[in-house]
Amino acid sequence: MPRRIVIGIRGVGHRIIESVWRLGYAARFFSLILLKSGTSIRRFGLIIRELYFTGVLTMVIILVSGLFVGMVLGLQGYETLQKFGAETAVGTLVALSLVRELGPVVAGLLFASRAGSAITAEIGLMKATEQLEAMGMMAVDPIARVVAPRFWAGVISMPLLAAMFSAMGVFGGYLVAVVLIGVDEGSFWSQMQSVVDFRFDIVNGIIKTCVFGVAITAIAVFEGYNAPPTAEGVSGATTRTVVTSALVILGLDFVLTSFMFRGVG
Amino acid sequence: MTTNPLVEIKDLNFSYDERAILKGINMTMPRGKVIAIMGGSGCGKTTLLRLIGGVVSPSSGYVRVDDQIVHELGRDKLFSLRRKMSMLFQFGALFTDLSVFDNVAFQMREHTDLPESVIRDLVFMKLHAVGLRGAHNLMPAELSGGMARRVALARSIALDPMLVMYDEPFAGLDPISLSVIGKLIRRLTDALGMTSILVTHDVHQSLEIVDYVYFISEGVIAAHGTPSEVRGSVSPFVHQFIHSEVDGPVPFHYPAEKYATDLNLENRIA
Ligand SMILES: Nc1ncnc2c1ncn2[C@@H]1O[C@H](COP(=O)(O)OP(=O)(O)O)[C@@H](O)[C@H]1O
Ligand SMILES: [Mg+2]
């Protein structure tokens, strides 16, 4: 019996040391990316190429999802608000929900599953097929040449994608509330304009998306670069990117929200 | 100074974790030669190339390349040494997101300021040397195994290195592609004045093109000599290797329990 307890405790301790070690390793990797970003900034073409893969190719799913989320918000918002005779506030409701929460969070989740997983799989496969080692043997640093451009492309595209998501969502809400149901168009827009605050709502939303963008892309490149060089290794890393990103987004969202919107209408 | 061997390996030991892979290796590789390293799968041939390239460091002993001790070099010195050597990986390791042309041009674009028109000429020259000028537009996924290996060969000589290491360049090739690659390695080595290290277990092809052979077995050099010395060798290991015999000094069986024990026969008989 005591032996079992010792083994149990040892197991827990081992796990903890392992996670702390991995966290430290990840932090070191992250600072390496920042240190070696010079190349990608000097040769911006490298980032542009990746912007196409992470940003442009993710746009379709972001725009379509944004439209539907906005339409649902419009429908649900109208249902509830009209009970209080406040159906003209539906524009405000749609815009606030999108800009503050749903835009950053849902766009982040979509970004992680579309672009994050692709980044992990690509880097992981390059590693498994010895392309990264081959690059190193050609005296070209794979972190500077492969990892950093993908990281910056992700960091740049995430806020833009989230903004498109929110804009599309507002348009979806407009379609449902104004065009379909017939809420007064003038008050739909004017109420939205007067209530949504630039500093508190929009800037905070942008800060969230930037933080999520850094977190998701950092996770994606880390998992890809450190994937075991086998088929299972790469597929496991891809799954971990999506799962870890989702948890990190939701956790960070709570933390950021509680700092940003404390005591604000 | 240039009479020194290009690569000198002295009392080299290396282990992954606790497991000793290479034990006391000594080799000398003169300039301008093609040197073959042979041995069974998993005997540490790739590891040896990675030690020469400075990807991993020895636990003791050293590798000296062009009068520099590889594992003592800092990052910048190591990278400038690596610009003068190149490695052809076992499966080519072509960059799958770049075309054949861009793969060969990769190092020129990364390491030189040559104008694009010069790069274009150089790439076509390299591709012509391996007979694939016409394939410059293809992506790596569109190439056959032999063509991919030839593109990798063109890429590895892109910057006219002084040392090229080939890791099993014949693996998985049909006999024709195999002898094409073999002849190319010899011809390019002579034409460009390079030194080549050829890791392989294709005895017949390599004995025709190399100047010197090292056999590695269980982490030590089991035999070495020129191709004619090797052909006439009485060493049982070399004999087994050259004549592809199933059992000999290299055992057919991985070390195991007594067969009878594993089949649970001992108890039954008792
Ligand atoms: N990264 C690694 N970690 C631990 N062991 C390894 C690693 N790479 C190779 N090995 C082991 O080292 C031995 C030699 O490998 P290698 O040099 O690739 O052999 P080969 O002669 O077939 O090229 C093998 O038994 C292999 O299992
Ligand atoms: Mg090998």
Side-chain angles (χ1 to χ4, degrees):
Chain A
M1 188 58 187
R3 223 179 92 83
R4 278 216 174 153
I5 295 174
V6 169
I7 291 178
I9 293 175
R10 197 186 289 157
V12 171
H14 197 75
R15 281 269 176 93
I16 293 175
I17 291 175
E18 178 85 21
S19 344
V20 172
W21 187 87
R22 200 170 158 83
L23 205 64
Y25 185 76
R28 189 174 152 265
F29 182 74
F30 187 63
S31 37
L32 273 183
I33 297 180
L34 297 184
L35 276 179
K36 295 179 177 180
S37 292
T39 317
S40 20
I41 292 163
R42 253 179 287 116
R43 293 167 55 188
F44 206 72
L46 291 176
I47 297 186
I48 304 264
R49 203 190 114 85
E50 300 310 327
L51 273 176
Y52 174 75
F53 286 107
T54 46
V56 178
L57 295 183
T58 314
M59 243 167 74
V60 176
I61 185 173
I62 289 279
L63 292 178
V64 173
S65 316
L67 183 69
F68 282 117
V69 168
M71 284 164 68
V72 170
L73 277 177
L75 212 56
Q76 294 279 19
Y78 177 80
E79 279 296 312
T80 313
L81 288 173
Q82 57 122 13
K83 287 186 191 143
F84 309 101
E87 61 269 19
T88 46
V90 66
T92 315
L93 179 113
V94 170
L96 277 186
S97 331
L98 280 168
V99 171
R100 283 184 176 184
E101 289 297 334
L102 290 176
V105 171
V106 179
L109 295 174
L110 291 171
F111 183 73
S113 36
R114 172 66 181 76
S117 61
I119 292 175
T120 305
E122 195 188 10
I123 298 182
L125 270 177
M126 288 183 82
K127 184 182 178 196
T129 52
E130 296 182 318
Q131 293 180 47
L132 296 185
E133 195 181 328
M135 200 174 275
M137 279 300 298
M138 296 176 190
V140 177
D141 191 321
I143 293 188
R145 182 62 174 68
V146 172
V147 174
R150 283 168 176 74
F151 174 75
W152 287 112
V155 170
I156 294 170
S157 35
M158 175 61 204
L160 299 175
L161 289 168
M164 290 180 201
F165 183 93
S166 294
M168 209 59 193
V170 169
F171 178 66
Y174 165 83
L175 276 186
V176 167
V178 176
V179 179
L180 217 64
I181 302 178
V183 173
D184 178 56
E185 182 166 1
S187 24
F188 180 91
W189 291 118
S190 65
Q191 285 213 17
M192 189 191 296
Q193 267 176 22
S194 63
V195 176
V196 176
D197 182 88
F198 180 74
R199 169 68 191 84
F200 278 116
D201 299 316
I202 301 202
V203 171
N204 278 342
I206 293 176
I207 293 176
K208 274 189 184 179
T209 59
C210 291
V211 173
F212 294 169
V214 171
I216 297 166
T217 336
I219 292 171
V221 292
F222 176 78
E223 290 291 352
Y225 195 80
N226 293 291
T230 59
E232 306 91 77
V234 176
S235 72
T238 312
T239 311
R240 266 202 308 281
T241 293
V242 177
V243 174
T244 316
S245 298
L247 293 177
V248 167
I249 289 169
L250 297 171
L252 276 178
D253 185 50
F254 174 73
V255 175
L256 290 175
T257 306
S258 52
F259 276 107
M260 288 171 172
F261 298 106
R262 215 173 15 175
V264 182
Chain B
M1 182 125 151
T2 42
T3 52
N4 285 354
L6 181 61
V7 180
E8 188 193 356
I9 299 175
K10 187 88 182 140
D11 298 328
L12 184 76
N13 286 288
F14 179 80
S15 39
Y16 275 121
D17 306 322
E18 304 287 270
R19 205 155 63 90
I21 308 288
L22 298 171
K23 302 169 232 171
I25 301 277
N26 286 291
M27 291 183 178
T28 310
M29 304 180 178
R31 293 167 198 266
K33 304 283 186 202
V34 180
I35 292 104
I37 298 175
M38 296 193 205
S41 302
C43 73
K45 304 181 298 293
T46 302
T47 307
L48 186 59
L49 295 189
R50 302 172 88 206
L51 281 157
I52 298 174
V55 181
V56 289
S57 295
S59 26
S60 68
Y62 63 83
V63 177
R64 191 205 301 268
V65 177
D66 201 26
D67 297 311
Q68 289 169 293
I69 300 217
V70 174
H71 71 269
E72 287 175 357
L73 296 175
R75 197 193 107 103
D76 291 342
K77 286 259 178 63
L78 179 64
F79 267 32
S80 60
L81 179 63
R82 281 186 186 172
R83 286 187 195 197
K84 294 186 278 180
M85 52 191 190
S86 74
M87 179 147 162
L88 194 149
F89 282 76
Q90 195 156 345
F91 299 104
L94 292 177
F95 300 129
T96 39
D97 55 341
L98 300 180
S99 70
V100 166
F101 184 97
D102 292 334
N103 260 285
V104 180
F106 183 81
Q107 292 177 84
M108 304 176 188
R109 288 183 179 144
E110 294 290 327
H111 291 318
T112 69
D113 292 323
L114 296 174
E116 201 57 25
S117 60
V118 177
I119 289 184
R120 199 186 132 84
D121 292 348
L122 285 173
V123 171
F124 277 131
M125 280 161 61
K126 303 294 175 190
L127 282 174
H128 188 76
V130 298
L132 288 179
R133 194 162 36 85
H136 68 97
N137 265 333
L138 299 181
M139 294 303 284
E142 300 170 294
L143 302 175
S144 72
M147 286 162 79
R149 218 64 64 85
R150 280 197 269 167
V151 174
L153 190 54
R155 185 180 69 174
S156 65
I157 56 166
L159 290 184
D160 295 331
M162 58 181 186
L163 173 67
V164 185
M165 299 181 271
Y166 309 88
D167 194 0
E168 305 199 12
F170 307 130
L173 294 187
D174 61 87
I176 299 176
S177 316
L178 191 149
S179 91
V180 166
I181 301 271
K183 302 231 158 58
L184 270 176
I185 289 174
R186 179 77 245 183
R187 210 173 67 213
L188 292 172
T189 306
D190 295 340
L192 303 176
M194 318 182 297
T195 306
S196 292
I197 305 177
L198 177 62
V199 161
T200 177
H201 28 230
D202 190 288
V203 189
H204 301 282
Q205 181 61 41
S206 45
L207 284 186
E208 280 176 24
I209 59 166
V210 305
D211 298 304
Y212 206 82
V213 187
Y214 287 96
F215 287 96
I216 300 185
S217 172
E218 291 173 13
V220 299
I221 295 181
H224 57 102
T226 61
S228 55
E229 285 168 359
V230 165
R231 282 204 188 87
S233 169
V234 291
S235 146
F237 174 81
V238 176
H239 193 269
Q240 183 190 359
F241 209 93
I242 292 187
H243 298 279
S244 342
E245 285 158 4
V246 172
D247 219 348
V250 180
F252 170 68
H253 289 289
Y254 189 83
E257 294 277 322
K258 263 170 66 187
Y259 198 24
T261 319
D262 272 350
L263 294 182
N264 259 332
L265 287 178
E266 283 177 345
N267 296 342
R268 277 188 238 164
I269 291 165

